[in-house]
Amino acid sequence: AQRVTQPEKLLSVFKGAPVELKCNYSYSGSPELFWYVQYSRQRLQLLLRHISRESIKGFTADLNKGETSFHLKKPFAQEEDSAMYYCALATGGGNKLTFGTGTQLKVEL
Amino acid sequence: DVKVTQSSRYLVKRTGEKVFLECVQDMDHENMFWYRQDPGLGLRLIYFSYDVKMKEKGDIPEGYSVSREKKERFSLILESASTNQTSMYLCASSSPASGQTYNEQFFGPGTRLTVL
């Protein structure tokens, strides 16, 4: 069965410090992975997807099939990055997503 | 501007009541989903639908049912609400996957349900 693991419930960093939010997955098929973000009092929204291989708001994520990981990284954290981040794995037909338990990122001044 | 709307932001119900949560999307999406969001547990899929009158169970369907009579509307029904169904409920929609590429899910603002 598919599974997404985000080991950190809370990650606290100082402004300007590098950020890495960890995500590991378990899936027998060819994975397609996403990062979704939820800012305070806003709806959940897509941040980025591995297939796009692009940087969004300074964040990048590389799919490592050998380590079954899709960690989210940003070299210099900003206060506005404070949010809840969910890693998600697309499985089966019809766009079904399996979400991790989420990591709350807090960027301190 | 794409939109998924949910009928209520906050709802308080009593144990045993029948509860309806409504979701409407204006993007002509075939796929619609209901999740519950709980601290430490993330998002868990309750039910989803690929088409009108079609539904499939997600990971935690017990105690819930759904209805999709029109393409734009997907309803979640709690037949007899219980306190362990107190949660944030999120609705989402998406267009079908094309080949090997899955499409973004668009989420509603959520309904915070409290069952007393």
Side-chain angles (χ1 to χ4, degrees):
Chain A
Q2 63 274 6
R3 175 177 282 189
V4 176
T5 302
Q6 293 180 251
E8 303 137 330
K9 285 188 177 180
L10 173 66
L11 183 65
S12 186
V13 302
F14 287 105
K15 180 181 175 180
V19 174
E20 184 179 49
L21 300 171
K22 293 186 177 3
C23 173
N24 288 90
Y25 68 91
S26 173
Y27 182 51
S28 57
S30 182
E32 185 160 349
L33 286 134
F34 303 79
W35 278 98
Y36 279 78
V37 61
Q38 189 169 29
Y39 301 102
S40 179
R41 289 185 290 278
Q42 294 187 28
R43 60 185 69 194
L44 193 63
Q45 60 187 283
L46 178 67
L47 178 62
L48 56 77
R49 54 194 302 168
H50 92 268
I51 202 168
S52 300
R53 303 181 70 82
E54 58 189 346
S55 173
I56 305 291
K57 298 185 179 182
F59 285 99
T60 59
D62 292 318
L63 177 61
N64 185 323
K65 291 186 178 181
E67 295 183 358
T68 60
S69 68
F70 187 57
H71 302 327
L72 184 68
K73 299 177 183 179
K74 184 170 183 176
F76 307 104
Q78 302 299 314
E79 191 180 359
E80 56 266 27
D81 296 329
S82 294
M84 177 68 84
Y85 292 81
Y86 292 97
C87 183
L89 169 68
T91 61
N95 238 146
K96 185 179 165 185
L97 290 176
T98 297
F99 283 85
T101 52
T103 298
Q104 179 73 47
L105 174 65
K106 183 178 180 182
V107 180
E108 300 183 75
L109 300 175
Chain B
D1 191 21
V2 296
K3 265 297 183 52
V4 178
T5 57
Q6 295 183 230
S7 51
S8 306
R9 290 303 305 272
Y10 300 94
L11 209 51
V12 180
K13 295 292 182 180
R14 296 210 173 272
T15 302
E17 281 193 80
K18 190 168 186 176
V19 182
F20 293 86
L21 302 182
E22 305 286 340
C23 175
V24 177
Q25 50 95 5
D26 65 0
M27 295 167 280
D28 201 35
H29 283 164
E30 284 79 2
N31 302 331
M32 295 189 76
F33 308 84
W34 275 107
Y35 296 91
R36 62 178 285 176
Q37 182 182 32
D38 299 288
L41 297 177
L43 272 75
R44 293 179 292 167
L45 183 64
I46 304 171
Y47 267 97
F48 57 106
S49 170
Y50 296 147
D51 203 349
V52 176
K53 296 192 186 294
M54 178 275 170
K55 60 185 178 184
E56 285 200 29
K57 293 180 180 179
D59 300 317
I60 52 163
E62 295 78 20
Y64 303 94
S65 63
V66 290
S67 173
R68 191 154 180 212
E69 297 296 319
K70 293 185 177 181
K71 188 176 185 180
E72 68 271 17
R73 188 178 298 269
F74 192 36
S75 303
L76 180 69
I77 303 155
L78 287 66
E79 294 290 342
S80 177
S82 64
T83 55
N84 63 13
Q85 292 178 310
T86 291
S87 187
M88 173 68 85
Y89 289 88
L90 299 182
C91 175
S93 73
S94 73
S95 51
S98 49
Q100 294 298 312
T101 302
Y102 292 86
N103 290 313
E104 175 183 356
Q105 288 190 16
F106 293 88
F107 284 82
T111 295
R112 184 165 294 283
L113 173 67
T114 301
V115 182
L116 302 176

